[in-house]
Amino acid sequence: MLSWQDLRKEFQACEEALRFVRIDYQWGAAGTYYRLAGVPVSPKLREFEKLCSLAGVKLSEIQPEELSEAVLGILSPEERWYEALRQYSGLFASGPIATQMNDDGSSAGHIYTGSIHDPAQASMICALRISEMPVKNPAPKNLFERLENFLSNEFKRRPYFWGFVAFAVTTVIALAGLL
């Protein structure tokens, strides 16, 4: 898997070809939607979408408490990255707000919009910011690492119990040595 620095370089390679692209956002009463707009479909645009998907998958390596619920709640990796751009790039610009109306004329809630112009640059900034966030502990590779993690976590959860067990075992060994 690419590192955040590798992703940042790949996004930078897309910047010139995507200078007129923007990501349009809509959320609220009518649902949440993300749309790339501003240019026709091209190989570079498809490459950018694939990079966004890879970055969205890579977000799963970050400790959950570091990311907003809005980012964590999105299942699609590509859309998860778009939401991360909105939250962390600093380049999101709010747009018009509308009210969705029911058939009887009553309000069904608000619809919010906004955009990021130059999503390649926003992706470079976001990758840099996220690269500084702490990552999850990797899964243990073998039986000894799993046992060590289990015992370490157990001792952190119940230090007095394990202290008593250690004291009791030490006492039994000392008494057995006296006999």
Side-chain angles (χ1 to χ4, degrees):
M1 165 114 359
L2 295 172
S3 71
W4 286 112
Q5 292 305 323
D6 293 337
L7 279 169
R8 187 173 182 277
K9 289 175 188 173
E10 294 293 328
F11 283 126
Q12 187 173 17
C14 294
E15 190 173 23
E16 180 60 31
L18 302 179
R19 67 181 177 270
F20 300 114
V21 173
R22 71 178 187 275
I23 302 174
D24 290 333
Y25 295 81
Q26 175 187 315
W27 70 99
T32 302
Y33 302 96
Y34 308 90
R35 185 175 73 97
L36 288 173
V39 296
V41 174
S42 68
K44 206 57 158 177
L45 184 64
R46 291 294 179 224
E47 180 183 342
F48 176 76
E49 290 173 327
K50 184 63 179 167
L51 288 170
C52 290
S53 185
L54 290 171
V57 169
K58 192 154 181 65
L59 285 172
S60 65
E61 297 174 3
I62 302 298
Q63 289 185 5
E65 57 272 8
E66 297 293 323
L67 298 172
S68 73
E69 288 295 323
V71 172
L72 293 173
I74 298 175
L75 297 178
S76 161
E78 189 174 321
E79 291 181 355
R80 189 178 317 122
W81 182 248
Y82 295 158
E83 186 61 31
L85 293 177
R86 185 169 80 93
Q87 300 283 327
Y88 303 112
S89 73
L91 297 179
F92 177 76
S94 295
I97 299 173
T99 302
Q100 182 171 336
M101 305 302 281
N102 292 320
D103 290 338
D104 64 359
S106 63
S107 172
H110 296 294
I111 300 171
Y112 304 92
T113 65
S115 298
I116 289 182
H117 298 273
D118 199 352
Q121 182 184 22
S123 293
M124 291 184 320
I125 292 168
C126 196
L128 183 61
R129 286 187 177 162
I130 290 175
S131 72
E132 297 171 348
M133 293 180 179
V135 295
K136 292 179 187 174
N137 292 330
K141 295 181 176 98
N142 58 42
L143 177 64
F144 294 111
E145 285 184 17
R146 289 196 305 251
L147 182 60
E148 180 183 9
N149 287 347
F150 170 75
L151 293 174
S152 174
N153 289 334
E154 270 297 304
F155 185 73
K156 287 176 187 171
R157 279 191 5 218
R158 299 183 262 195
Y160 297 114
F161 171 76
W162 289 107
F164 174 76
V165 168
F167 173 75
V169 168
T170 304
T171 304
V172 168
I173 291 172
L175 290 175
L178 292 176
L179 297 174

